[in-house]
Amino acid sequence: MEVKKLSQILTVACGILGGTLLVPMHAQAAPDPNFHIYIAYGQSNMAGAGDIRRGTDDKEHPRYKMFATTSCTKYPTVGEIYPAVPPMFHCGEGLSVADWFGRYLADSLPDVTVGVIPVAVGGTKIELFDKDKYASYLSTAENWLVNWAKDYGSDGNAYARIVEVAKKAQQVGVIKGFIFHQGESGAMNGNNWQQEVKKTRDDILKALDLSSDTVPFLAGGLEDRAAGGCCWSFTDNNIKTLPNVMDNTYFVSSEGLKGNGKDSYHFSSESYQEFGRRYAEEMLKHISTVPVEPEPQTPFKGGAFEIPGKVEAENFDVPGKGAGNDSYKENDAEDHGKTNYREGTGVDIYQKATGYVVGYNQEGEWLEYTLNVKEAGDYTMFAAVATDNATSAFQLSIDGEAITEAILVSKVEGSGSFDDFGKVKANVTLPAGEHILRMTVTSSWFDVDYFQFAKGKDAPDPDGSSDFVKPAFVTYATESESSFALLDVQGRVIAVMQAKNMHEAVSKVKNSVTHDIVSGGIYFVISNPGTKNQQRKKVVVYEK
């Protein structure tokens, strides 16, 4: 079907949709080497059995954070970062060894932010953290313990929750060590307990691609039996001798710490504070405390892309070190392209007839490129893209400021293959000098080969293939309107329009039917194209 000039009701389908298509994305910064993160696990003394002293224990430290591992009103989203304020391990719990550990550590490292990943269950044996034994252990455990474990997932897999959250934490910081307190249940089982502890640590390290050589492990003593504590001397001795079985492992003494006066297992709030200080002091002996200098991202082949000129999508910058110095954001670590080009990044790079392209693009991902713009002014951007999807889209920005709205990637006429590349174009204004270009995926599933910038507004395609270029057109909705796209049955975008609601959009399509706009047949109207909130409505148009 040939698309001709449309009336005031419909605007020609174009590369760019206006305001309502734009989806703000949270940019994921590079891991900050000065954000030190610790995995805290064990049973009740780690989970938090102390009374929270209001105004003292619950006072927020500006450089101590926690990664939520359970979902509470206070910490609603698992994996998100919140102030490290008790209770951290479970909703409604108490003060933990971890609370003051992080505060003392942050106070000792003024250039560092400290984070903790808290996963612990009162009364549990070490088997709960064994990825191969947790299920059989929970199958015979008391209901209260099973329910407590399920705070970390419906199956109670505490190991999996540690790894899940730790992988998210590795995107923003560095795993520096473990703090561990467990043994009241099970440590009397001789070396079997020690080997179990080692296995849980080693399994976690393997899952996170870390080495015990660089990640110290601290294990704390139990309540002193001489002061009315819980456990036999050989039980505490198993913890003291854990360094004989595990490398880079250290014992933190509980000698002289007072109990809570209620039972023989748990410490007083004052003792939790002191115990946290002891953990912090021991950790400081085994980690590097020298702040890491951030390093900026750099061009992939050593030099910035010269503009006017072509930017190959696969040649995004090499990431630097520190917050804000990453050069890409990838939703998963698997390279679906399987080319091994830019190996280790996880960016999905495919080999096509024209060379390497970036594909499998998912909403929220982005790539950055260093540009050297010879002259400030108006340019025409051409992007070579392919899709089998009707609503894929991306946006371009310079140094964090948008230079386009979301650009709709349409199917090539007569094709729906990811091997057939067409082009979209947009007029942009660029500043002179060296700048960072970012391409952000605002709606999933398209391939991109390159971005090319030609000097001047509405400039001809430097490759001479303007017959395959979709013209850009920016359309803006009023405050009471939204964007709608009109698609044919092949999924090709025919037009975009503004309407107050789906009913009005459908009416506009039906009422605008003439032989020079749309022919009779079946079409689809999509609301909020390019966003997660899009809806689709089938429309049957009859010839007039």
Side-chain angles (χ1 to χ4, degrees):
M1 179 181 61
E2 182 182 4
V3 178
K4 299 183 178 180
K5 183 178 181 181
L6 304 184
S7 67
Q8 295 295 319
I9 298 175
L10 297 179
T11 305
V12 176
C14 55
I16 302 178
L17 296 184
T20 55
L21 184 57
L22 177 61
V23 182
M25 294 295 168
H26 173 68
Q28 179 65 62
D32 184 353
N34 295 315
F35 187 7
H36 294 185
I37 300 165
Y38 297 87
I39 296 170
Y41 73 111
Q43 59 184 106
S44 55
N45 281 307
M46 185 60 74
D51 294 332
I52 299 172
R53 298 166 295 178
R54 301 303 172 189
T56 300
D57 300 319
D58 59 355
K59 187 176 180 181
E60 180 181 337
H61 192 293
R63 289 183 294 103
Y64 186 30
K65 308 296 179 182
M66 61 165 282
F67 292 82
T69 54
T70 63
S71 182
C72 300
T73 302
K74 194 173 183 180
Y75 311 122
T77 306
V78 171
E80 287 296 308
I81 301 172
Y82 299 96
V85 177
M88 294 193 294
F89 290 77
H90 296 269
C91 309
E93 280 242 43
L95 190 66
S96 161
V97 172
D99 287 294
W100 282 94
F101 161 77
R103 297 176 191 213
Y104 280 118
L105 201 61
D107 284 341
S108 300
L109 301 170
D111 297 315
V112 163
T113 296
V114 176
V116 67
I117 299 168
V119 177
V121 173
T124 187
K125 293 184 177 181
I126 190 62
E127 283 80 1
L128 178 65
F129 301 96
D130 186 332
K131 66 185 181 67
D132 301 311
K133 296 181 179 180
Y134 81 92
S136 59
Y137 171 63
L138 289 178
S139 68
T140 60
E142 297 287 343
N143 287 337
W144 59 266
L145 193 149
V146 173
N147 291 333
W148 210 350
K150 286 183 177 180
D151 282 353
Y152 299 117
S154 59
D155 59 353
N157 189 344
Y159 158 86
R161 181 55 54 89
I162 290 173
V163 172
E164 172 195 353
V165 176
K167 285 184 175 181
K168 293 181 179 180
Q170 285 179 308
Q171 296 176 8
V172 295
V174 182
I175 306 293
K176 296 288 286 187
F178 292 88
I179 58 171
F180 174 79
H181 196 282
Q182 197 274 332
E184 296 94 338
S185 300
M188 61 186 67
N189 294 335
N191 288 331
N192 288 337
W193 177 84
Q194 293 180 335
Q195 293 296 337
E196 276 293 325
V197 175
K198 183 178 187 301
K199 181 179 185 300
T200 63
R201 181 205 63 172
D202 291 349
D203 286 344
I204 294 170
L205 289 174
K206 183 177 180 180
L208 300 178
D209 196 25
L210 295 171
S211 169
S212 60
D213 294 339
T214 56
V215 185
F217 186 98
L218 306 188
L222 308 182
E223 188 177 340
D224 194 342
R225 183 166 177 79
C230 65
C231 305
W232 298 103
S233 58
F234 66 80
T235 302
D236 204 33
N237 188 59
N238 270 331
I239 303 173
K240 289 179 180 178
T241 60
L242 199 57
N244 297 341
V245 177
M246 297 171 59
D247 59 318
N248 206 9
T249 296
Y250 309 92
F251 176 70
V252 181
S253 174
S254 58
E255 185 177 357
L257 297 182
K258 296 180 179 179
N260 60 10
K262 303 174 185 177
D263 57 55
S264 59
Y265 294 93
H266 304 116
F267 301 97
S268 67
S269 298
E270 293 77 14
S271 291
Y272 280 119
Q273 181 174 347
E274 170 60 18
F275 212 179
R277 184 187 64 80
R278 294 181 186 182
Y279 269 86
E281 288 184 346
E282 187 65 31
M283 188 64 73
L284 287 167
K285 298 176 184 177
H286 309 291
I287 61 170
S288 173
T289 58
V290 178
V292 177
E293 290 295 326
E295 295 179 7
Q297 66 196 79
T298 55
F300 174 56
K301 294 190 174 182
F305 287 101
E306 297 293 332
I307 304 300
K310 184 177 290 186
V311 178
E312 293 289 347
E314 70 276 10
N315 291 339
F316 52 92
D317 285 357
V318 177
K321 294 181 180 178
N325 292 320
D326 210 345
S327 60
Y328 65 91
K329 167 66 168 63
E330 178 67 19
N331 286 354
D332 62 70
E334 181 181 355
D335 176 8
H336 296 274
K338 309 297 183 185
T339 62
N340 295 325
Y341 189 79
R342 308 302 300 272
E343 189 173 10
T345 65
V347 176
D348 308 296
I349 298 177
Y350 295 77
Q351 180 79 53
K352 296 293 178 76
T354 57
Y356 291 118
V357 304
V358 178
Y360 210 81
N361 288 294
Q362 300 179 64
E363 185 176 333
E365 296 180 340
W366 49 262
L367 301 168
E368 288 187 341
Y369 310 84
T370 301
L371 306 184
N372 181 29
V373 182
K374 293 181 180 179
E375 183 181 349
D378 293 330
Y379 288 80
T380 305
M381 185 284 303
F382 298 87
V385 290
T387 187
D388 191 31
N389 189 32
T391 57
S392 301
F394 67 91
Q395 184 186 26
L396 298 180
S397 60
I398 290 286
D399 300 334
E401 296 292 331
I403 59 172
T404 73
E405 300 292 335
I407 299 175
L408 189 66
V409 178
S410 302
K411 296 181 183 179
V412 174
E413 295 294 331
S415 172
S417 170
F418 281 92
D419 292 324
D420 295 326
F421 282 77
K423 292 185 183 179
V424 292
K425 73 174 185 178
N427 289 319
V428 298
T429 301
L430 302 179
E434 193 165 289
H435 301 277
I436 299 296
L437 171 73
R438 175 181 289 189
M439 184 279 290
T440 301
V441 180
T442 57
S443 187
S444 302
W445 313 130
F446 64 91
D447 292 356
V448 57
D449 189 354
Y450 62 81
F451 310 95
Q452 184 147 315
F453 294 85
K455 189 71 174 72
K457 187 175 182 180
D458 293 321
D461 184 356
D463 291 341
S465 55
S466 57
D467 290 343
F468 303 97
V469 178
K470 294 182 178 293
F473 192 100
V474 182
T475 171
Y476 297 95
T478 67
E479 290 185 2
S480 62
E481 292 181 326
S482 299
S483 291
F484 293 82
L486 178 64
L487 281 62
D488 64 15
V489 290
Q490 281 77 42
R492 293 173 296 193
V493 178
I494 306 303
V496 292
M497 59 185 154
Q498 307 305 322
K500 294 180 179 179
N501 50 49
M502 178 66 80
H503 177 75
E504 182 179 272
V506 171
S507 296
K508 285 185 175 184
V509 172
K510 290 184 175 181
N511 293 334
S512 67
V513 175
T514 65
H515 289 291
D516 64 346
I517 299 176
V518 291
S519 302
I522 297 174
Y523 298 89
F524 296 93
V525 175
I526 294 182
S527 66
N528 300 311
T531 74
K532 293 180 178 180
N533 299 321
Q534 65 184 33
Q535 295 181 330
R536 177 179 295 223
K537 178 97 174 160
K538 180 178 178 181
V539 181
V540 180
V541 176
Y542 298 98
E543 293 280 1
K544 288 188 177 180

